Amino acid sequence: MMMRLSLAFSALCLALAPVPSALAHHSFAAEFDGNKPIRIQGALSRLEWTNPHSWFYVDVKDDAGNVVTWGCEGASPVALSRQGFQKGAAKLGDKLVVDGYAAKDGSHLMNARRIYLNGKLIFEQTGEGQ
Amino acid sequence: MVENQRVLGRFSMRFYTTIAVALLVFAFSPARVAAQGLTAPDVKSSKPAPRTADGHPDLSGYWRGLRDTTPVGNIAKDLPGHKLPFTPAGEAAWKHNVTATIDPESLCIPGGIPRHNASALPFEVLQGSNKVAFLYWYTYFRVIPIDAKRKHSEDPDPSFFGEELGRWDGDALVIDSIGFKDKQVWIDENANPHSDALHVVERWTRPDYDHIHVDTLIEDPKFYTRSFNYARTWVLGKPGDELHEYACSENNVDRDHLQFGPGPIRPDGTRGFEKLAPLPPPLPEKK
């Protein structure tokens, strides 16, 4: 259980990690807006271990109680596997707070820069990034 | 992995968390790019380049970009001010690319040449006696005949990599390419253009065991007033480094959300915002 949780921390956050645009198959700035900082909070609801990017989805309740699902783009499975992480390590239902930058087109997609898991800061990307 | 789990299993929950956070910091730090083996610091090499049975340098290997190569993805890397010599048509094509086209590579269209040579991603070379293969991420490849007698076609079918002919010039493998497409192509990741008049001459050398180098001559009289050069060196990957399947169309969520162009270009020729708006204030730390 402990091991599973440890790996969950790692794999979840690796997958949520923003990827330097040079390594991604698209430019960060072509999709996300550096002038649209955003915070979402909710439960981890889905993981897609796919190319060209992995995706984590977070179910977010608005003030009216409606659930909106936000997608967070991560590295490719190859990039994650190079670090020795395996799919299925992340635990669905974990409470997340994610700070980052929203998609330019207004869709519910974001690039994560800071991640809290069950209230604890587990990742923060410093610097200007992309 | 099993052994790692066995070892980790001896430690406390608190230590697990410490390990996880440490891994995360490591994973998300700027060094993460290098940690993934995608780029690498330069190395000194005292070993000569290997040679094939027929005496030519063997370019085979898994090659990683040097960490200091900048700006990556910009074909004007070696030009003063990163300024390309556009013709009026080239200037118009550039404006069209940045205002009306989505990066073709992000739509899972091959980047072609010379774009792949400007990419940050590693690549692999497999060299035979009369053919050489370049293998790229996204499961793209090009196979080039090595035959000094072979001539370009009168009317080659346009393609993203062009009609490529290889020949040896001393210890340099020269690849001469014409016959490129002029739609859904960016010459680099910064959305610079090329036309169907593009002519690329790559001179690949292996100066020592640990390095591969290309000097590239780029001509495109429709879009550029003069030819220009792009040079780059890569370092040999670690033993066991190899390409993996990378199915670009498997789950390309981005394709419906990408905007036209590459986004802002900074004064140093790299892509991205000069300054990001601040994130929301950090949450109070939970013990």
Side-chain angles (χ1 to χ4, degrees), chain A residues 107-121:
Chain A
S107 61
H108 296 128
L109 301 179
M110 69 180 295
N111 177 268
R113 297 290 170 122
R114 187 192 288 145
I115 305 165
Y116 298 87
L117 176 61
N118 297 325
K120 285 192 174 182
L121 180 66

PDB file of all heavy atoms in Angstrom, chain A residues 107-121:
ATOM      1  N   SER A 107     -11.213  26.037 -23.806  1.00  0.00           N
ATOM      2  CA  SER A 107     -11.618  24.674 -23.440  1.00  0.00           C
ATOM      3  C   SER A 107     -11.073  24.328 -22.054  1.00  0.00           C
ATOM      4  O   SER A 107     -10.243  25.044 -21.499  1.00  0.00           O
ATOM      5  CB  SER A 107     -11.105  23.677 -24.479  1.00  0.00           C
ATOM      6  OG  SER A 107      -9.707  23.727 -24.526  1.00  0.00           O
ATOM      7  N   HIS A 108     -11.543  23.246 -21.510  1.00  0.00           N
ATOM      8  CA  HIS A 108     -11.140  22.864 -20.152  1.00  0.00           C
ATOM      9  C   HIS A 108      -9.869  22.015 -20.187  1.00  0.00           C
ATOM     10  O   HIS A 108      -9.849  20.869 -19.728  1.00  0.00           O
ATOM     11  CB  HIS A 108     -12.294  22.134 -19.454  1.00  0.00           C
ATOM     12  CG  HIS A 108     -13.487  23.010 -19.252  1.00  0.00           C
ATOM     13  ND1 HIS A 108     -14.753  22.657 -19.651  1.00  0.00           N
ATOM     14  CD2 HIS A 108     -13.596  24.259 -18.720  1.00  0.00           C
ATOM     15  CE1 HIS A 108     -15.591  23.634 -19.358  1.00  0.00           C
ATOM     16  NE2 HIS A 108     -14.916  24.617 -18.802  1.00  0.00           N
ATOM     17  N   LEU A 109      -8.851  22.593 -20.744  1.00  0.00           N
ATOM     18  CA  LEU A 109      -7.526  21.971 -20.778  1.00  0.00           C
ATOM     19  C   LEU A 109      -6.544  22.934 -20.130  1.00  0.00           C
ATOM     20  O   LEU A 109      -6.697  24.152 -20.233  1.00  0.00           O
ATOM     21  CB  LEU A 109      -7.079  21.687 -22.216  1.00  0.00           C
ATOM     22  CG  LEU A 109      -7.963  20.768 -23.050  1.00  0.00           C
ATOM     23  CD1 LEU A 109      -7.380  20.628 -24.455  1.00  0.00           C
ATOM     24  CD2 LEU A 109      -8.103  19.404 -22.392  1.00  0.00           C
ATOM     25  N   MET A 110      -5.528  22.380 -19.497  1.00  0.00           N
ATOM     26  CA  MET A 110      -4.551  23.258 -18.853  1.00  0.00           C
ATOM     27  C   MET A 110      -3.177  22.620 -18.823  1.00  0.00           C
ATOM     28  O   MET A 110      -3.014  21.417 -18.993  1.00  0.00           O
ATOM     29  CB  MET A 110      -4.985  23.609 -17.431  1.00  0.00           C
ATOM     30  CG  MET A 110      -4.938  22.453 -16.456  1.00  0.00           C
ATOM     31  SD  MET A 110      -5.466  22.935 -14.784  1.00  0.00           S
ATOM     32  CE  MET A 110      -4.193  24.101 -14.319  1.00  0.00           C
ATOM     33  N   ASN A 111      -2.209  23.475 -18.613  1.00  0.00           N
ATOM     34  CA  ASN A 111      -0.820  23.072 -18.441  1.00  0.00           C
ATOM     35  C   ASN A 111      -0.485  23.276 -16.968  1.00  0.00           C
ATOM     36  O   ASN A 111      -0.561  24.393 -16.461  1.00  0.00           O
ATOM     37  CB  ASN A 111       0.063  23.946 -19.333  1.00  0.00           C
ATOM     38  CG  ASN A 111       1.522  23.649 -19.170  1.00  0.00           C
ATOM     39  OD1 ASN A 111       2.193  24.266 -18.362  1.00  0.00           O
ATOM     40  ND2 ASN A 111       2.022  22.710 -19.944  1.00  0.00           N
ATOM     41  N   ALA A 112      -0.174  22.201 -16.261  1.00  0.00           N
ATOM     42  CA  ALA A 112       0.001  22.262 -14.802  1.00  0.00           C
ATOM     43  C   ALA A 112       1.394  22.753 -14.426  1.00  0.00           C
ATOM     44  O   ALA A 112       2.390  22.323 -14.986  1.00  0.00           O
ATOM     45  CB  ALA A 112      -0.223  20.881 -14.198  1.00  0.00           C
ATOM     46  N   ARG A 113       1.439  23.682 -13.484  1.00  0.00           N
ATOM     47  CA  ARG A 113       2.717  24.208 -12.997  1.00  0.00           C
ATOM     48  C   ARG A 113       2.921  23.930 -11.509  1.00  0.00           C
ATOM     49  O   ARG A 113       4.041  23.988 -11.014  1.00  0.00           O
ATOM     50  CB  ARG A 113       2.796  25.718 -13.237  1.00  0.00           C
ATOM     51  CG  ARG A 113       2.752  26.106 -14.713  1.00  0.00           C
ATOM     52  CD  ARG A 113       4.019  25.688 -15.410  1.00  0.00           C
ATOM     53  NE  ARG A 113       3.937  25.813 -16.844  1.00  0.00           N
ATOM     54  CZ  ARG A 113       4.764  26.568 -17.571  1.00  0.00           C
ATOM     55  NH1 ARG A 113       5.698  27.275 -16.984  1.00  0.00           N
ATOM     56  NH2 ARG A 113       4.650  26.610 -18.874  1.00  0.00           N
ATOM     57  N   ARG A 114       1.830  23.724 -10.799  1.00  0.00           N
ATOM     58  CA  ARG A 114       1.924  23.491  -9.354  1.00  0.00           C
ATOM     59  C   ARG A 114       0.811  22.514  -8.994  1.00  0.00           C
ATOM     60  O   ARG A 114      -0.340  22.711  -9.397  1.00  0.00           O
ATOM     61  CB  ARG A 114       1.758  24.814  -8.610  1.00  0.00           C
ATOM     62  CG  ARG A 114       2.005  24.737  -7.115  1.00  0.00           C
ATOM     63  CD  ARG A 114       1.545  26.005  -6.437  1.00  0.00           C
ATOM     64  NE  ARG A 114       2.398  27.163  -6.708  1.00  0.00           N
ATOM     65  CZ  ARG A 114       1.943  28.414  -6.827  1.00  0.00           C
ATOM     66  NH1 ARG A 114       0.642  28.659  -6.751  1.00  0.00           N
ATOM     67  NH2 ARG A 114       2.763  29.410  -7.038  1.00  0.00           N
ATOM     68  N   ILE A 115       1.160  21.473  -8.244  1.00  0.00           N
ATOM     69  CA  ILE A 115       0.177  20.428  -7.943  1.00  0.00           C
ATOM     70  C   ILE A 115       0.167  20.131  -6.447  1.00  0.00           C
ATOM     71  O   ILE A 115       1.219  19.877  -5.846  1.00  0.00           O
ATOM     72  CB  ILE A 115       0.505  19.121  -8.705  1.00  0.00           C
ATOM     73  CG1 ILE A 115       0.616  19.399 -10.208  1.00  0.00           C
ATOM     74  CG2 ILE A 115      -0.542  18.059  -8.434  1.00  0.00           C
ATOM     75  CD1 ILE A 115       1.272  18.277 -10.975  1.00  0.00           C
ATOM     76  N   TYR A 116      -1.039  20.156  -5.877  1.00  0.00           N
ATOM     77  CA  TYR A 116      -1.235  19.731  -4.490  1.00  0.00           C
ATOM     78  C   TYR A 116      -2.021  18.424  -4.522  1.00  0.00           C
ATOM     79  O   TYR A 116      -3.055  18.332  -5.188  1.00  0.00           O
ATOM     80  CB  TYR A 116      -2.031  20.762  -3.704  1.00  0.00           C
ATOM     81  CG  TYR A 116      -1.372  22.124  -3.590  1.00  0.00           C
ATOM     82  CD1 TYR A 116      -1.566  23.099  -4.576  1.00  0.00           C
ATOM     83  CD2 TYR A 116      -0.572  22.438  -2.504  1.00  0.00           C
ATOM     84  CE1 TYR A 116      -0.977  24.346  -4.477  1.00  0.00           C
ATOM     85  CE2 TYR A 116       0.023  23.695  -2.394  1.00  0.00           C
ATOM     86  CZ  TYR A 116      -0.191  24.648  -3.377  1.00  0.00           C
ATOM     87  OH  TYR A 116       0.388  25.878  -3.278  1.00  0.00           O
ATOM     88  N   LEU A 117      -1.533  17.443  -3.810  1.00  0.00           N
ATOM     89  CA  LEU A 117      -2.223  16.164  -3.714  1.00  0.00           C
ATOM     90  C   LEU A 117      -2.703  15.995  -2.282  1.00  0.00           C
ATOM     91  O   LEU A 117      -1.894  15.973  -1.349  1.00  0.00           O
ATOM     92  CB  LEU A 117      -1.277  15.023  -4.100  1.00  0.00           C
ATOM     93  CG  LEU A 117      -1.838  13.608  -3.951  1.00  0.00           C
ATOM     94  CD1 LEU A 117      -3.054  13.404  -4.832  1.00  0.00           C
ATOM     95  CD2 LEU A 117      -0.765  12.577  -4.275  1.00  0.00           C
ATOM     96  N   ASN A 118      -4.022  15.884  -2.122  1.00  0.00           N
ATOM     97  CA  ASN A 118      -4.622  15.784  -0.788  1.00  0.00           C
ATOM     98  C   ASN A 118      -4.065  16.863   0.143  1.00  0.00           C
ATOM     99  O   ASN A 118      -3.751  16.616   1.303  1.00  0.00           O
ATOM    100  CB  ASN A 118      -4.403  14.390  -0.215  1.00  0.00           C
ATOM    101  CG  ASN A 118      -5.103  13.324  -1.056  1.00  0.00           C
ATOM    102  OD1 ASN A 118      -6.182  13.576  -1.605  1.00  0.00           O
ATOM    103  ND2 ASN A 118      -4.499  12.167  -1.187  1.00  0.00           N
ATOM    104  N   GLY A 119      -3.918  18.066  -0.396  1.00  0.00           N
ATOM    105  CA  GLY A 119      -3.539  19.222   0.401  1.00  0.00           C
ATOM    106  C   GLY A 119      -2.055  19.490   0.491  1.00  0.00           C
ATOM    107  O   GLY A 119      -1.639  20.518   1.011  1.00  0.00           O
ATOM    108  N   LYS A 120      -1.239  18.586   0.019  1.00  0.00           N
ATOM    109  CA  LYS A 120       0.209  18.778   0.126  1.00  0.00           C
ATOM    110  C   LYS A 120       0.807  19.140  -1.234  1.00  0.00           C
ATOM    111  O   LYS A 120       0.492  18.501  -2.240  1.00  0.00           O
ATOM    112  CB  LYS A 120       0.886  17.508   0.652  1.00  0.00           C
ATOM    113  CG  LYS A 120       0.674  17.278   2.129  1.00  0.00           C
ATOM    114  CD  LYS A 120       1.604  16.192   2.645  1.00  0.00           C
ATOM    115  CE  LYS A 120       1.480  16.078   4.165  1.00  0.00           C
ATOM    116  NZ  LYS A 120       2.388  15.065   4.716  1.00  0.00           N
ATOM    117  N   LEU A 121       1.668  20.132  -1.200  1.00  0.00           N
ATOM    118  CA  LEU A 121       2.356  20.517  -2.431  1.00  0.00           C
ATOM    119  C   LEU A 121       3.328  19.407  -2.818  1.00  0.00           C
ATOM    120  O   LEU A 121       4.225  19.048  -2.048  1.00  0.00           O
ATOM    121  CB  LEU A 121       3.129  21.820  -2.214  1.00  0.00           C
ATOM    122  CG  LEU A 121       3.906  22.343  -3.421  1.00  0.00           C
ATOM    123  CD1 LEU A 121       2.958  22.759  -4.543  1.00  0.00           C
ATOM    124  CD2 LEU A 121       4.802  23.517  -3.019  1.00  0.00           C
TER     125      LEU A 121
END
